Amino acid sequence: MATGQLTVNLGAVQRNWKSLDVRSAASTQTAAVVKADGYGLGASHVAKALKAAGAENFFVAAAEEGAAVREAVGDANIYVFSGYMQNDASLFAKHQLIPLLNSPQQLQAWKTAQGNRAFGLQLDTGMNRLGFEPDEFRAIDSDANDSCLFISHLACADEPRHPMNRQQLDCFRQMTDSLAANHGVQRSLAATGGTLLGPEFHFDMVRPGIGLYGGLPYAQAEPVVTLSLPLIQTRKVLAGETVGYGAAWKATKITTVATLAAGYADGIIRAVGNVAAAVDSAAIAAAGGANKDRPAPNADARLSVYAGEIACPIIGRVSMDMLTVDISALGEVPAKLELLNGLQSVDQVAAAAGTIGYEILTACGQRYQRCYVHS
Ligand SMILES: *Cc1c(COP(=O)(O)O)cnc(C)c1O
């Protein structure tokens, strides 16, 4: 474990939740997705903060996660995306978790083991990952009426103009319109991306995840995390000398190189050392639309770490437990530098590495000393 520090601003998480909440019609509830330990940031802390902000519905991936969220929030609805696995029978009962059943087999097993306790159904409207197919759904007939919630998930919601969005919306409505009208079953289709697609996609409940944590496609999100990495050593490197594995970076002038105590074993995936920002700033724009509040990376920019407002480029390859940066621009040697903060978002780090903000958050979130602030 590196001694880097990840600071999570729970006030920003609450404000992101509230601003996504405002977008919904008055009759729509806004839930919070806190799977994967709250996208790596600590599900208990995040869920408690969101409960205080007014959230009453939480979604997790697996039953154990649900148990942890129950301890944190007390009274609330906690839904489990993966549905019902028999090994988890006692967790579901003890913590009053609501499975989103994904198949006729899961439905049967649930009814047999848990009687008439509350459940929801996940429907597959085209993503082909989880949920009842339309013909399986028709076949369960009146059991569907007993469901408290129908959900489905959009495959392409971060691309507003993608035709799949409308196709999946139509499919969801075809599968559920009459059951919702006649039996009052609640419906939820939208994650963060779907929430931003507009009211037609909102139904009774929206369930954003990444937007709460400051990531695209919610371009207006407030940054939530600050990741600061301790500096171990500095040295002067002369023109012509190289830095790191593969001698991949060569100095063209005298350079002050700092070695920081975090590497790919700490979630700073090796590809962040790539010079790939140019292509990916276009991808950021495509995913999030105009994102004027955040500077896009320069054409041939390297990703940086920050000392205050001063950017220090990452040079050379990322090692397992270390990375090297050019701090020639600094007047004095700082004790630590920041990889994530208000100046550099998870999506900018992700873009440099050819991945998405979700992966950077979940990769980094767990590995540092975490500290929570409320500002
Ligand atoms: C992860 C997930 C969400 C939340 O998605 P975001 O893109 O993070 O908002 C919602 N629904 C399902 C089924 C999910 O798996």
Side-chain angles (χ1 to χ4, degrees):
M1 157 93 64
T3 50
Q5 184 166 308
L6 187 89
T7 304
V8 180
N9 182 353
L10 295 172
V13 175
Q14 289 176 321
R15 285 187 294 277
N16 286 335
W17 183 81
K18 283 188 176 148
S19 60
L20 283 163
D21 194 29
V22 168
R23 287 160 185 267
S24 308
S27 60
T28 302
Q29 300 194 62
T30 300
V33 178
V34 295
K35 65 191 180 193
D37 196 24
Y39 289 46
L41 304 185
S44 303
H45 291 85
V46 166
K48 209 177 273 177
L50 290 173
K51 173 101 193 281
E56 292 168 359
N57 296 277
F58 296 89
F59 289 82
V60 295
E64 311 85 72
E65 296 178 348
V69 171
R70 174 66 71 207
E71 302 285 316
V73 301
D75 188 28
N77 298 317
I78 302 174
Y79 303 91
V80 180
F81 286 134
S82 58
Y84 180 56
M85 316 271 208
Q86 261 139 320
N87 285 346
D88 297 330
S90 58
L91 282 179
F92 273 98
K94 176 165 181 225
H95 299 283
Q96 305 272 307
L97 307 176
I98 304 173
L100 295 161
L101 304 171
N102 288 296
S103 65
Q105 294 74 20
Q106 282 198 345
L107 177 62
Q108 197 50 53
W110 177 261
K111 295 216 131 184
T112 306
Q114 310 270 344
N116 49 18
R117 298 207 20 246
F119 66 90
L121 296 178
Q122 177 150 211
L123 311 178
D124 179 46
T125 53
M127 188 166 178
N128 286 308
R129 187 180 67 170
L130 274 184
F132 283 77
E133 298 278 336
D135 56 342
E136 290 173 329
F137 184 56
R138 271 189 298 277
I140 61 172
D141 205 26
S142 65
D143 277 344
N145 311 343
D146 299 333
S147 172
C148 66
L149 180 70
F150 297 138
I151 78 156
S152 189
H153 195 46
L154 298 170
C156 305
D158 57 351
E159 297 174 58
R161 279 173 292 279
H162 200 292
M164 279 279 284
N165 295 325
R166 167 75 34 192
Q167 285 164 26
Q168 289 193 262
L169 174 63
D170 291 345
C171 180
F172 190 54
R173 297 200 58 162
Q174 265 165 28
M175 289 172 85
T176 60
D177 268 354
S178 70
L179 286 159
N182 300 330
H183 299 279
V185 183
Q186 302 269 293
R187 292 185 286 182
S188 174
L189 178 62
T192 303
T195 305
L196 302 173
L197 291 178
E200 257 188 314
F201 288 82
H202 293 174
F203 294 93
D204 302 296
M205 192 190 295
V206 296
R207 34 172 226 276
I210 191 71
L212 310 176
Y213 309 102
L216 288 175
Y218 189 32
Q220 284 75 36
E222 235 186 89
V224 166
V225 291
T226 304
L227 176 58
S228 68
L229 307 173
L231 185 154
I232 310 170
Q233 188 183 11
T234 62
R235 73 186 65 248
K236 293 270 186 228
V237 169
L238 304 178
E241 290 192 284
T242 63
V243 172
Y245 281 120
W249 186 86
K250 189 181 229 176
T252 55
K253 54 181 190 296
I254 287 196
T255 304
T256 310
V257 176
T259 302
L260 308 186
Y264 59 79
D266 309 300
I268 302 181
I269 58 175
R270 204 166 157 276
V272 306
N274 294 349
V275 186
V279 192
D280 296 297
S281 60
I284 288 191
N291 184 3
K292 299 190 193 69
D293 302 337
R294 286 181 186 159
N298 294 328
D300 55 3
R302 292 168 174 280
L303 199 67
S304 291
V305 292
Y306 283 81
E309 308 228 304
I310 303 176
C312 303
I314 295 175
I315 57 174
R317 292 192 185 152
V318 176
S319 301
M320 188 181 291
D321 313 291
M322 281 168 275
L323 56 87
T324 38
V325 301
D326 175 358
I327 61 160
S328 306
L330 304 182
E332 42 190 277
V333 175
K336 55 194 171 62
L337 292 106
E338 292 173 355
L339 179 69
L340 296 169
N341 58 20
L343 297 169
Q344 184 161 271
S345 68
V346 287
D347 292 293
Q348 284 169 312
V349 173
T355 182
I356 53 176
Y358 300 71
E359 188 180 6
I360 298 297
L361 268 184
T362 52
C364 287
Q366 313 269 5
R367 294 189 161 81
Y368 300 93
Q369 187 198 338
R370 279 195 300 227
C371 127
Y372 294 91
V373 297
H374 213 108
S375 60

